Amino acid sequence: MSVAVVFDSAGTLLRTYRVARDLLQGEMLTEVETTTLTFAAEGRILVLLHLHSRDVIDAPPGQYLSDYLQERSIGFGVSCSRRIIPADDVAEILYTDRQARICDMQACIRKVWSCCKQESIVAMNSGVILNVDLSGVEFTVTTGGRPFSGARDAISELHRMGVPAYIASGDRVTKLERMGDYLGIPRERIYGVATPSMKAQIVEELQEHYDKVVMIGDAINDLKAFRKADLAILTEQQSDSKPGILYANTDLVIRDVSEVPGIVAELLKDTTETGKSATI
């Protein structure tokens, strides 16, 4: 009997601070769930930008974000969306937008730094939420976080049980690798910039190599992977405010990531006992 465990990152392994600047309303949204915000409108797309926070802070505040991205040849990755949008269409909007300015991104970064000033930030990402129906950037977003206190021990316990841990997340690969190094998850088991469909595909591919695949997540972008997994676990460690559809497609709900090894141990035990009974 072989089992693999796939974790989402933000909100699942990481206690995450998320902020978004609503460019249309001129408002800063704090402690916002960026995937829920994205899925709230059909045309929204959450896009991660491959940039460094310090560089953005040093840039001219009044410069258009699109010009900054083009000048520095900064790439992007689509984290999640309700529609399948060709990358070329995303790039066309991202690199020609005349709504978002550097100061909007700077405001998000500074807010996360302020929220995390007492924390050791392991992962930080910035991006935008495009709206293809508006042909522009609707929100600038930044997230920052640190592993939950029980995350490292949970991963270590899984490994002692002979159960490999994977990460499938919409976050940037470089940030996830840094977190994986801290948690003890090999880099070859880390999948970054993973859309909801990609997460589900990762689960399916792992099912070809393992008898059971467990998926652990906390947000709507984990829904497709939940539906594919042999055991779907929803964590409320970040927040217990979740869309009802997540609970309807989840086998178990946990409050702390430290509960995972015990659940996996029971899964292994139940499967072994079932096998013995069948043999007898």
Side-chain angles (χ1 to χ4, degrees):
M1 171 64 180
S2 59
V3 175
V5 178
V6 182
F7 291 91
D8 171 49
S9 61
T12 300
L13 289 173
L14 285 179
R15 168 66 175 95
T16 304
Y17 302 87
R18 305 178 179 97
V19 301
R21 183 165 178 78
D22 185 333
L23 304 184
L24 301 183
Q25 301 299 322
E27 298 177 350
M28 182 68 76
L29 309 176
T30 59
E31 288 297 315
V32 65
E33 173 53 70
T34 51
T35 54
T36 300
L37 186 61
T38 301
F39 276 79
E42 180 72 25
R44 290 177 182 169
I45 306 169
L46 178 58
V47 179
L48 293 182
L49 300 174
H50 302 160
L51 46 72
H52 299 286
S53 299
R54 293 288 181 186
D55 292 340
V56 175
I57 291 297
D58 292 337
Q63 183 180 21
Y64 284 115
L65 179 61
S66 57
D67 290 344
Y68 177 87
L69 299 177
Q70 287 194 75
E71 287 175 5
R72 300 187 176 224
S73 300
I74 292 173
F76 68 90
V78 174
S79 179
C80 68
S81 65
R82 287 174 60 179
R83 296 183 194 167
I84 297 177
I85 309 295
D88 288 346
D89 292 352
V90 174
E92 175 66 23
I93 297 173
L94 181 64
Y95 295 128
T96 62
D97 173 73
R98 282 297 182 263
Q99 180 71 32
R101 296 181 183 269
I102 286 293
C103 59
D104 297 310
M105 187 65 76
Q106 289 172 335
C108 291
I109 292 171
R110 289 193 176 104
K111 187 64 177 179
V112 169
W113 279 352
S114 175
C115 292
C116 298
K117 61 185 178 181
Q118 301 298 325
E119 309 289 354
S120 175
I121 300 177
V122 172
M124 189 167 181
N125 295 286
S126 289
V128 298
I129 297 177
L130 303 178
N131 193 323
V132 296
D133 294 330
L134 301 177
S135 297
V137 174
E138 193 173 356
F139 302 88
T140 53
V141 299
T142 297
T143 65
R146 59 175 175 80
F148 286 113
S149 59
R152 195 173 186 178
D153 289 341
I155 299 299
S156 296
E157 182 60 26
L158 288 174
H159 289 169
R160 281 194 290 271
M161 295 162 56
V163 175
Y166 291 79
I167 295 177
S169 169
D171 291 338
R172 289 171 53 194
V173 175
T174 53
K175 300 298 183 183
L176 292 172
E177 288 180 342
R178 181 182 173 192
M179 183 178 71
D181 291 343
Y182 174 82
L183 295 172
I185 298 177
R187 293 189 173 192
E188 63 268 21
R189 294 180 186 166
I190 295 174
Y191 300 88
V193 197
T195 63
S197 295
M198 289 173 62
K199 288 185 179 185
Q201 183 179 346
I202 290 165
V203 169
E204 283 190 296
E205 290 176 354
L206 289 175
Q207 286 171 329
E208 297 177 5
H209 303 282
Y210 298 94
D211 297 316
K212 301 287 183 181
V213 175
V214 179
M215 178 66 201
I216 304 169
D218 81 308
I220 194 68
N221 59 331
D222 299 310
L223 180 60
K224 289 185 177 181
F226 280 167
R227 289 170 170 167
K228 293 293 183 181
D230 297 290
L231 182 67
I233 301 176
L234 177 66
T235 173
E236 295 181 329
Q237 193 161 3
Q238 175 89 39
S239 168
D240 60 2
S241 178
K242 312 287 184 187
I245 193 171
L246 280 176
Y247 292 96
N249 288 272
T250 298
D251 298 302
L252 295 172
V253 178
I254 61 174
R255 297 289 301 180
D256 196 295
V257 71
S258 62
E259 299 174 50
V260 173
I263 293 170
V264 174
E266 286 298 316
L267 178 63
L268 290 168
K269 178 182 175 183
D270 291 344
T271 305
T272 301
E273 291 178 348
T274 300
K276 288 182 179 178
S277 299
T279 302
I280 292 172

